[in-house]
Amino acid sequence: MSRGYPFDEAATARAVIADDGTLLEWNEGARRLLGHSADAVLGRPAARLLANDDGTGPLPSGGHWDGTLDLRHSDGRTVPVRLLARHRPADGTHDGDWLVLAPPPGTAPPLADDPLAEAGLLQSPCAVAVYDGQLRLCRMNDAMARITGLPEERVRGLRITETGGLPQPEELEHSLRQVLSTGQRLDVRVHTCATDGGPARTWLARMAPVTDADGRVRGVVVATHDVTESDRARQRLRLVNEASVSVGTSLDVIRTARELADVCVPVLADFVTIDLLDPAEHGGEPPRRVVPPVPLRRAAHRSVLEGEPEAVAEPGGSEVYPEFSPQATALLTGRTVSAAVAAGDLDKWLAWSAERGERVRQFGIHATLAVPIHARGTTLGVVVLARHRRRDPFTADDVLLAEEITARAAVCLDNARRYSRERDTALALQRSLLPRRLPPTAALEATSRYLPAARAGVGGDWFDVIPLSGTRVAMVVGDVVGHGVQASAAMGRLRTAVRTLADLDLAPDELLTHLDDLVVRLYEESGGDGGGEVGATCLYAVYDPVSRRCSLARAGHPPPVVLEPGKPPRELDLPSGTPLGLGGLPFESAEVELPEGTVIALYTDGLVASRDSAGDRGRQLLFEVLGDETRRPGERCGHALDATCDRVLDALLPRGDAADDVALLLARTHALPADQVAAWDVPDDPALVAPVRREVGEQLERWSLTEAAFTAELVVSELVTNAIRYGSQPVRLRLIHDAGRLICEVSDASHTAPHLRRAKTFDEGGRGLLLVAQLTQRWGSRHTAEGKTIWAELNLPADERRPERDGQ
C-alpha cells in the first residue's frame, strides 16, 4: 500500500524506493520526465534507471541526499535530473524506504515584476520562505536553509511535505493552505524532539498572505523564529505555579512527597526519587548535622515507565548512602549535585552499588540531579531527578527550576512533618489519658473505641467506666472543644476530675455542676484570652444492677441510644443541659429502668456528624446497626459486643476518615439476682444488734462464706451500732454477694457523714470506723435522697468466690 500525499500532482516527479533498491511507487510526473510507465519499472531495481550504471548500484547512506544524476530516458537518451532523496524509517505500518523527488522544470527564481519577488524579508537574518499558489517553494533565505539543512536550489518547486526539513510538515502545510484560502495571518508553534545532535527546540512559524496589486492572494510568506528559550521560561513558570498548587494539599508527609514527584515527571525528569532523613533515628527530629554514611528512607518515587522499574528501593524502605553518592554529597554540601554518566561522574557510586549500575545501563540513564531538601534551617532529605527517555542533559536553568520547586515543596514537607509530630504527640498523650482497658464489673460488660480525626488530628474526646460502691457503675463520655495537645491535656484534667467526683458518689446532675465550675476556673486560669479557652460537653450515667435503674444527666452532649431486648433502638429523652463552661446554669437528672441485657450506646458527635453523613442520617445508621445486634452462636457476650462496636464504625465511618475525633462506648447491662442480695430493717435499739449479727451469720452460711463470716459479722456490728447511735431512723442493712467480694451497706436518714478519728487511750468509743477500715478492702459513704449510706467491701477467699458471668 502506498503512502498518501494530500497534494500529489504530476508536476513533481516522485518515486519511492525500498531499502533493498526496488522501485515501489512511480507517479505520472516521473513518467513524463523519463518516459517509462509504472508497469515497466515497478518491482525492478531503481539503479537500472541510471545512465552510467549496470543496475546494481547502492543506495546513498544517511537520511538525506541531493544532487544531479544522469538518468536513462525510455527513448535511450540521457537526461540530467536534479534529485532530492529523503529516507523514511519503518514505523510499524510501512517498511523503511526512500522518497525521491525531482522538482518540476522551470522553477527558476521568479521574475522581478512578479509580486512574489517583492518579499523584502528574503535578506533578513530571520528564517523566511515564500510559497506560491500551489504551495511550492519559490524562495527561501540562507537562515531558512540552515534550518532545513537543504540549499534553496535543491528544494525550489517542492512542497513543504516533500522537503522534510521542517518539523511537523503536514501541520505546517495545512496551515499554509488555510492562509492561502482565507487570506488571514496565522501563527503556528512546532516542536522538535531532542536528539544526540542537540536538545529539543520550539519554533514559531508566522504565516502571512502575499498579494498582488489587485489584492489577490498569490502565495504565502513564512517567517520562522526560534522561541525555545521563551517557551522554556513559560514552561518553568507554569511548573513552579503547578508545584505551588499541587504540592502540599494535605498534611501528610508521604502524600506531599508523592505530589512533588508527580509535578517533576515528565516535565523535568523521567524518573524522580524523594528520600528523607529518618527522624525516628534522631529522637523524632531530623539531625542537626548530617554525617556520612547517610541513612535515608524512601518516601516516594515516580517514573514515565509503568511500575517504576528504575527504582532500587521501595517506598518505606531504608538505605545507607556513602559519602561519595550524589545523595550524600548533596546533603553534606547543601548544594545541588549535577552528574553526567558519560563524563564518569557516577562511576564510583555505580561501582559501589552494582544494582544501580545495572539499572543505569538497562534504561540508559545519562544525567542526574541531586537536590537537597531544606526548610527553616533544617535538612529534611534529598530529591534525585534522572533522565533516560529525554536525551538532553540538565541545564543550568533546569537546576534553578529543580531548586525552586524543591524549596517550595520543602516548606510543605516541613509543615507536614511538624503536624505529624504534634499529632503523634497528642495521640500518645490522648491514649495515655484514656483507659487502656475497661474494668470488669458485675453491673455491665463494656467495650469502647477511639478514632482521631483524619485531618484535624487528636481532639478532646474521652470515655470511662468507673466502678462505684454497691456494685453500681458509672459511664461517662465527653468531648472537649478543639484539637491537638491542648485539647488532650484539658481532656485529661476533666477525666481526672470526673473520677474524683465519682468517688464521692455524687448524683449525675450534681457531678456535672461541679465539673462545670471546674471548666469555668480553667478558662479563668488561662486569662480568658481565647488561646486557652476550654469548653466541653459531657454525658454521665450511673447504673445500679440491683434495682436495674439508670440515672443520667448531660451537658450539651448527644443523648444515649438504648436497645432493650426484643425492642427497636431508641434515643433516651433527657434534658439537654448547657455545655460545660457557661457557668451558673442547672443540670437535670433523669432515671430510667433498663431490663437485663439492654445495650446502651454513648458516643461523641464525631460518630454521627461525619463529613459524609448529616447528624440525622448518622443516628439512623446507628439505630440500624444496633437493631441488628444479636449474639452469634457460640460467641461470648463480650466478643459479640466488641464485634457490634466494629460494625458501628464500619457503617458510619467506612473509610475511617472521620472529620472529628470519635469516642464510642457500648455497654450491656446485667441484673444482680435476688439471691445475691439480703436486706434487713434494723430496730432503733443497740441491744438488738446481736440478733441482727446472728441473722447475718446465717445468710453468710447459706452463701457458703464461712471463712469470711467472722470478719463480716464484726463489720456489720460496728456499722449498725454507729447508725443506731449517731444516725436517724429508719436504719437498713444490706449485704451484696458479688463475684470475689462481699459488700456491707448500712443506710439511715441522717445526712451527717462519718469520719475517722484517733481515739485516746481511755476513750470508751471512737474505734469502730478505724476497725472497719482495717478489716475491709475499702469503705466509704454516699449521700442519698433519704440520708446517707455507709458501705464496706471485703475480698473473699478464692474458694468462696462466685464464678464470674460472661463478659466480666
Side-chain angles (χ1 to χ4, degrees), residues 696-706 708-709 712-713 735 742:
V696 168
E698 294 172 355
Q699 180 64 50
L700 295 178
E701 187 176 353
R702 286 193 291 271
W703 283 341
S704 300
L705 302 180
T706 55
E713 291 175 12
L735 297 182
L742 178 67

Side-chain angles (χ1 to χ4, degrees), residues 200-274:
R201 307 205 71 80
T202 302
W203 304 88
L204 177 62
R206 313 200 73 169
M207 304 177 182
V210 177
T211 59
D212 58 16
D214 297 328
R216 292 176 299 177
V217 177
R218 298 287 303 277
V220 181
V221 60
V222 181
T224 303
H225 307 272
D226 187 347
V227 293
T228 303
E229 294 305 320
S230 61
D231 192 66
R232 288 177 179 172
R234 281 193 297 268
Q235 188 180 57
R236 287 192 291 270
L237 289 175
R238 184 166 56 249
L239 189 58
V240 170
N241 181 68
E242 181 181 350
S244 301
V245 175
S246 303
V247 180
T249 61
S250 72
L251 289 173
D252 181 84
V253 173
I254 301 302
R255 181 174 175 181
T256 303
R258 290 173 182 165
E259 292 168 346
L260 172 58
D262 291 342
V263 166
C264 293
V265 175
V267 179
L268 190 57
D270 299 319
F271 178 57
V272 173
T273 63
I274 293 95

Side-chain angles (χ1 to χ4, degrees), residues 32-171:
R32 293 177 183 176
L33 180 65
L34 296 179
H36 301 284
S37 67
D39 293 338
V41 296
L42 289 180
R44 294 177 173 81
R48 292 182 179 179
L49 296 175
L50 297 176
N52 302 315
D53 196 272
D54 59 3
T56 60
L59 291 171
S61 59
H64 289 83
W65 182 88
D66 66 273
T68 301
L69 289 178
D70 291 334
L71 300 181
R72 183 181 296 114
H73 197 276
S74 62
D75 59 7
R77 58 189 172 89
T78 298
V79 180
V81 180
R82 179 165 54 89
L83 297 177
L84 175 67
R86 173 164 56 92
H87 186 258
R88 302 184 299 185
D91 58 7
T93 305
H94 305 87
D95 296 329
D97 57 33
W98 285 83
L99 174 65
V100 182
L101 304 169
T107 54
L111 300 175
D113 58 353
D114 193 303
L116 296 178
E118 298 177 1
L121 292 179
L122 291 177
Q123 302 298 321
S124 170
C126 176
V128 177
V130 181
Y131 294 85
D132 63 14
Q134 297 299 316
L135 297 185
R136 297 184 180 279
L137 180 68
C138 292
R139 296 295 303 274
M140 71 177 182
N141 64 359
D142 293 341
M144 181 67 78
R146 286 192 292 271
I147 294 177
T148 61
L150 298 169
E152 179 189 10
E153 61 271 13
R154 299 297 187 186
V155 294
R156 187 182 304 128
L158 297 180
R159 296 187 184 279
I160 196 171
T161 54
E162 297 170 341
T163 60
L166 292 174
Q168 300 166 235
E170 289 81 7
E171 181 180 346

Side-chain angles (χ1 to χ4, degrees), residues 760-772:
K760 297 179 180 179
T761 304
F762 299 104
D763 287 348
E764 295 183 2
R767 298 178 178 86
L769 289 180
L770 180 61
L771 183 62
V772 169

Side-chain angles (χ1 to χ4, degrees), residues 794-807:
L794 290 81
N795 284 344
L796 299 177
D799 58 346
E800 293 185 350
R801 295 186 176 186
R802 181 180 294 273
E804 294 183 353
R805 68 171 73 202
D806 289 346

Side-chain angles (χ1 to χ4, degrees), residues 600-611:
I600 180 169
L602 292 79
Y603 58 90
T604 56
D605 57 3
L607 178 67
V608 295
S610 67
R611 67 166 63 94

Side-chain angles (χ1 to χ4, degrees), residues 389-542:
R389 178 176 290 181
R390 292 180 56 171
R391 303 312 303 165
D392 51 318
F394 289 107
T395 65
D397 288 337
D398 292 331
V399 173
L400 292 176
L401 179 60
E403 290 175 342
E404 174 68 20
I405 294 174
T406 301
R408 291 173 181 263
V411 176
C412 299
L413 285 169
D414 192 49
N415 290 339
R417 177 190 66 84
R418 291 168 181 262
Y419 169 78
S420 298
R421 180 190 61 188
E422 181 177 346
R423 186 176 187 273
D424 291 343
T425 301
L427 185 58
L429 175 62
Q430 176 90 345
R431 296 201 182 280
S432 68
L433 295 174
L434 291 173
R436 297 192 176 183
R437 60 184 299 271
L438 300 178
T441 67
L444 51 82
E445 56 179 297
T447 187
S448 62
R449 294 290 187 274
Y450 173 78
L451 292 179
R455 287 183 175 270
V458 177
D461 290 14
W462 91 93
F463 58 87
D464 213 343
V465 174
I466 308 169
L468 303 177
S469 62
T471 68
R472 297 171 308 124
V473 63
M475 297 170 287
V476 59
V477 170
D479 184 359
V480 174
V481 173
H483 294 88
V485 175
Q486 183 178 357
S488 296
M491 176 274 292
R493 300 178 73 174
L494 294 184
R495 177 173 177 254
T496 301
V498 169
R499 293 189 70 90
T500 301
L501 295 171
D503 283 341
L504 299 178
D505 272 313
L506 299 177
D509 57 339
E510 188 176 353
L511 182 141
L512 291 181
T513 300
H514 286 285
L515 198 61
D516 182 52
D517 293 339
L518 172 63
V519 173
V520 172
R521 287 197 300 273
L522 291 177
Y523 177 71
E524 292 174 349
E525 290 175 3
S526 70
D529 59 358
E533 183 175 354
V534 178
T537 64
C538 185
L539 171 64
Y540 185 78
V542 176

